[in-house]
Amino acid sequence: EMELTPNNPPTEENYSISKLKDRSVAANLSQKVRLLCWIMTGPKNLESRTKYIRATWANRCNKILYMSSVETDFPTVGLNVTEGRDQLYWKTIRAFQYIYQHHRNDYDWVLKADDDTFVVIENLRYTLSKQDPEKPVYFGRRFRPFVHQGYMSGGAGYVLSKEAVRRFIEGFDMAKCTHFSIIEDMALGKCMETMGVEPGDSRDVKGRQTFHPFPPDKYLIKKPPRKRPWFLLYDYYKPREGPECCSDHTISFHYIYNVQMYTLEYLTYNLRPYGYQYRYKPDSAATETRYITLSLLAKDETEIELD
C-alpha cells in the first residue's frame, strides 16, 4: 500500500484506487449481512425530515421501507394505523407484521429508525457481522428501567435478528404480547423479554457506546458534577461523558434534522485529516484485550501456586 507523505501526496489516480479499496470491505459485508431498514415516519414529515434520510444513509441498506399511515409515491407503506405519539407502538407492530409477511426472506437483520435518526450502516453491519441472525437477540442503546432485562431506546434505533422478528410476530399471534402501553420502545422490550429475545451488548471493545438517543453534543462535552439527566440515569451501563463517550465506530445519533443529516454524512464519509493513520482497529484491540486478560489470569494463577 502506498504511503502518503508530504513528498508523496495523493494523486487522483491513487486516491480513486484507495477509495475503491476502502469500499470493498463494506461492499463485501453488505452481501454477508443483509439489512432491511424501516423508517418510522408520517405524511407531515416526508418533506421536512424523511427525504433527508433518503438522500443520505438510507441507500446503504439492502432494503429500505418508509412506514406511514398513508401509502404515497415517496414511496411510503400505508399501515392500518392513525398518526400520533400514542400510535407509535401500533405502527411498530404493524410494520414488523408487514415486513414478516412480505419480506421475511430478504433480510438477516431488521433495523427500525425514526425519521430524525442518522445511522452509519457500515458500522452497524460490522457489529452485526460477529453475531448470528438465527439467534433471538436484538441490539441498540440499552436502557435500565421498567423491563427486567432492560430495553432498547427507540430514538437511537434498534435492530432485531431474523429470529427475534419471528418471535415478535409469534408473540402477537399467540397473544403472549399485547399493546399494553403507548411507550413504543419499552413495550417492544417487554415483548422481547416475554419471547426470550436477549438484549445484546453493542458497545465496542473499549466499552464505548455505539447507539445514541441524542446528538453528539449531548455526550462529547464533559460536564461538571451535577444531577444526571434522565437519559444518563436510564443507561443500563455506567454512562460516560466527554470524548470517550462514543465509539469510533458509532452507529447512530438521534434528533438529527434536515441539514444536519448532510453535515454528519460529510463528516463521516468525506472529512479526513491529511497524513493521519487511522488508529482504532477494533479486531486488533479485542485481541489485545483478550491477551492482557489471559496474561493477568496466568499471573494470578502463578502467584497462587507460589503462595
Side-chain angles (χ1 to χ4, degrees), residues 6 83 87 92 94 128 148 153 162 185 191 207 212 221 237 278 305:
E83 293 296 336
Q87 297 297 308
T92 295
R94 298 287 183 250
L128 297 176
H148 179 71
S153 159
K162 189 168 191 172
D185 47 8
C191 182
H212 304 287
I221 302 168
Y237 304 104
Y278 188 58
E305 288 176 5

Side-chain angles (χ1 to χ4, degrees), residues 48 225 236 248:
S48 60
Y236 189 87
D248 288 25

Side-chain angles (χ1 to χ4, degrees), residues 294-307:
L294 290 171
S295 299
L296 290 172
L297 288 171
K299 182 182 178 184
D300 289 344
E301 288 176 3
T302 303
E303 288 176 351
I304 290 168
E305 288 176 5
L306 288 173
D307 290 344

Side-chain angles (χ1 to χ4, degrees), residues 41-96:
T41 191
K44 293 181 179 178
N45 290 352
L46 295 180
E47 285 300 308
S48 60
R49 295 186 184 184
T50 320
K51 75 175 185 180
Y52 297 96
I53 288 180
R54 185 179 63 184
T56 55
W57 63 264
N59 57 32
R60 298 184 183 99
C61 303
N62 294 84
K63 186 162 191 67
I64 181 75
L65 297 170
Y66 301 96
M67 299 297 190
S68 178
S69 56
V70 180
E71 184 176 345
T72 68
D73 59 5
F74 183 80
T76 55
V77 176
L79 303 172
N80 183 25
V81 295
T82 55
E83 293 296 336
R85 287 198 65 81
D86 59 345
Q87 297 297 308
L88 292 182
Y89 192 37
W90 275 124
K91 191 177 281 187
T92 295
I93 294 165
R94 298 287 183 250
F96 277 111

Side-chain angles (χ1 to χ4, degrees), residues 166-235:
R166 189 194 70 76
R167 293 194 184 198
F168 184 72
I169 300 303
E170 181 186 289
F172 283 91
D173 287 347
M174 305 296 290
K176 294 178 181 178
C177 296
T178 61
H179 186 285
F180 74 95
S181 172
I182 62 172
I183 304 173
E184 176 255 342
D185 47 8
M186 182 275 292
L188 180 133
K190 184 62 179 175
C191 182
M192 294 287 99
E193 183 176 80
T194 299
M195 299 307 295
V197 177
E198 296 182 359
D201 185 354
S202 60
R203 294 175 301 164
D204 69 15
V205 296
K206 294 185 176 182
R208 300 173 298 183
Q209 296 280 6
T210 56
F211 288 83
H212 304 287
F214 284 90
D217 60 279
K218 288 286 186 181
Y219 305 100
L220 290 171
I221 302 168
K222 195 163 188 176
K223 307 286 177 62
R226 71 198 191 286
K227 185 179 178 182
R228 283 179 179 169
W230 72 265
F231 60 90
L232 293 182
L233 290 172
Y234 273 34
D235 264 339

Side-chain angles (χ1 to χ4, degrees), residues 29 32-36 108-111 121-133 137-140 158-161 202 211 251:
L29 265 188
K32 292 182 178 178
V33 183
R34 296 180 306 151
L35 183 66
L36 184 151
D108 303 308
W109 302 87
V110 176
L111 168 72
I121 292 297
E122 293 86 351
N123 291 349
L124 176 56
R125 279 205 186 95
Y126 171 75
T127 297
L128 297 176
S129 68
K130 302 180 180 305
Q131 307 296 330
D132 183 356
V137 64
Y138 78 129
F139 294 92
Y158 49 74
V159 59
L160 277 63
S161 69
S202 60
F211 288 83
I251 290 167

